[in-house]
């Protein structure tokens, strides 16, 4: 797990991981790589951890020394260039609060997303009114000055779910309790309408865990599983906290979360019955 505020971007960590694998495969030590670049071995270590930026010329020197294949060189240069680009959340609405950024970073890089939330509507699916109520109810965990910024960012995430030219396929496994929970005393009617609209889109699959399913593996809390669509990029999990969250990247831990997702899919209603349940609650 990584510190939420100082977590390097996903692309930098991805680049660093692959550089480390290439260096080790070539039998080259960190001091040797540092000597090649004219830096210390600690700088090389920071590059491989994603903390230190890798310049284009530095990447070229390392890949020459590591005898990287042409296709690997092209792929890593694309990753390096992406790693230096600014995420949309840094440009939008004055920038997302620091505690939201680790999850947004993973979300923007993922090829597929699975959101598990037993009690509340997940952030990317919220109406602005519901989102504001959730953050305001968090009290001191979310500074009042950051509530509106967080609401704006969630609204943009919701828009991107369906309006981007190439939106990310998203599976949402939602506890039935979330359909009854009126955040901060706010009416949930508009939020249920929003859920149905998203469930009707091609890129969002909604599955509700009914009360009849009994106790389930998500009882301890929600999380989001990110898949990046490439064998060399292992899946990662983001576990939200009242203001922020932690990234889980240990392979065994991620596998446990993936097993939870598989079990929850079996217990949840299919998309058609899930929408029926939402409509039933809305009618009430």
């Amino acid at each position: 797990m990584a510190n939420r505020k100082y977590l390097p971007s996903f692309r930098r960590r991805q680049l660093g991981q692959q550089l480390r694998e290439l260096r080790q495969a070539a039998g080259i030590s960190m001091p040797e790589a540092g000597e090649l670049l004219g830096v210390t071995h600690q700088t090389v270590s920071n590059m491989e951890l994603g903390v230190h930026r890798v310049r284009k010329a530095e990447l070229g020197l390392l890949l020459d020394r590591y005898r990287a294949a042409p296709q690997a060189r092209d792929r890593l240069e694309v990753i390096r260039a992406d790693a230096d680009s600014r995420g949309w959340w840094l440009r939008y609405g004055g920038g997302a609060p620091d505690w939201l950024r680790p999850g947004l970073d993973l979300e923007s890089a993922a090829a597929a997303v699975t959101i598990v939330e037993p009690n509340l509507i997940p952030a990317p699916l919220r109406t602005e009114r519901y989102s504001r109520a959730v953050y305001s109810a968090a009290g001191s965990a979310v500074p009042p000055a950051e509530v509106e910024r967080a609401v704006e960012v969630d609204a943009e995430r919701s828009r991107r779910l369906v309006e981007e030219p190439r939106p990310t396929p998203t599976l949402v496994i939602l506890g039935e309790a979330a359909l009854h929970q009126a955040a901060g005393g706010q009416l949930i009617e508009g939020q249920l309408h929003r859920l149905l609209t998203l469930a009707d889109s091609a890129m969002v699959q909604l599955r509700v865990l009914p009360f009849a399913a009994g106790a389930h593996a998500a009882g301890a809390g929600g999380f989001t599983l990110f898949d990046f669509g490439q064998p060399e990029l292992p899946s990662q999990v983001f576990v939200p906290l009242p203001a922020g969250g932690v990234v889980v990247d240990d392979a065994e831990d991620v596998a446990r979360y993936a097993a939870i997702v598989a079990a929850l899919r079996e217990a949840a209603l299919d998309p058609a019955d899930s929408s029926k349940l939402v409509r039933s609650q809305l009618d009430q």
Side-chain angles (χ1 to χ4, degrees):
M1 296 187 187
N3 181 291
R4 73 183 188 210
K5 188 170 183 179
Y6 301 106
L7 181 72
S9 75
F10 171 76
R11 290 299 187 190
R12 279 196 180 180
R13 286 181 286 130
Q14 175 189 2
L15 176 62
Q17 175 187 331
Q18 295 187 40
L19 284 176
R20 180 174 63 250
E21 292 172 356
L22 286 171
R23 177 180 60 76
Q24 293 173 340
I28 296 169
S29 67
M30 281 190 188
E32 288 173 324
E35 185 177 352
L36 173 68
L37 300 180
V39 299
T40 66
H41 75 278
Q42 185 59 53
T43 298
V44 174
S45 175
N46 286 338
M47 286 178 173
E48 294 181 356
L49 291 171
V51 175
H52 195 286
R53 179 190 177 208
V54 181
R55 296 177 176 83
K56 184 173 184 177
E58 292 172 327
L59 179 62
L61 288 172
L62 291 174
L63 295 181
D64 286 343
R65 184 68 177 86
Y66 300 163
R67 297 184 179 181
Q71 60 268 31
R73 299 176 69 97
D74 293 342
R75 184 180 73 250
L76 291 178
E77 172 52 30
V78 169
I79 294 173
R80 188 204 66 79
D82 284 349
D84 288 339
S85 64
R86 288 167 57 84
W88 64 262
W89 57 90
L90 298 177
R91 303 187 298 267
Y92 187 86
D98 287 344
W99 45 270
L100 276 177
R101 294 182 184 182
L104 295 173
D105 182 48
L106 292 171
E107 186 175 284
S108 68
V113 175
T114 299
I115 302 173
V116 174
E117 177 51 67
N119 299 311
L120 291 172
I121 306 299
L125 281 66
R126 294 172 184 166
T127 63
E128 291 188 27
R129 186 181 183 190
Y130 186 98
S131 183
R132 186 175 293 108
V134 170
Y135 290 127
S136 298
S140 60
V142 179
E146 294 186 353
V147 168
E148 288 306 313
R149 289 167 60 200
V151 170
E152 289 179 352
V153 169
D154 282 354
E156 177 67 4
R157 294 166 76 186
S158 183
R159 185 194 69 77
R160 286 169 175 264
L161 270 181
V162 293
E163 295 181 16
E164 281 291 283
R166 299 175 65 182
T168 304
T170 301
L171 167 63
V172 180
I173 301 177
L174 187 66
E176 186 177 351
L179 305 181
H180 300 263
Q181 183 91 338
Q186 299 294 316
L187 294 176
I188 200 171
E189 181 179 357
Q191 180 61 70
L192 295 179
H193 277 295
R194 177 62 177 161
L195 270 185
L196 288 174
T197 299
L198 290 171
D200 287 340
S201 71
M203 302 306 289
V204 178
Q205 180 185 146
L206 176 66
R207 289 177 174 265
V208 176
L209 278 164
F211 290 137
H216 51 72
F223 61 90
T224 303
L225 174 66
F226 300 96
D227 179 77
F228 302 101
Q230 300 176 45
E232 67 271 18
L233 299 180
S235 299
Q236 297 189 33
V237 171
F238 184 73
V239 182
L241 298 174
V246 290
V247 174
V248 179
D249 54 15
D250 177 81
E252 291 187 2
D253 289 340
V254 172
R256 292 189 183 97
Y257 279 101
I260 290 174
V261 167
L264 293 177
R265 282 183 67 110
E266 290 294 319
L269 300 175
D270 64 26
D273 286 340
S274 295
S275 291
K276 287 179 182 178
L277 183 57
V278 176
R279 287 192 184 93
S280 173
Q281 179 62 17
L282 186 56
D283 290 341
Q284 295 178 35

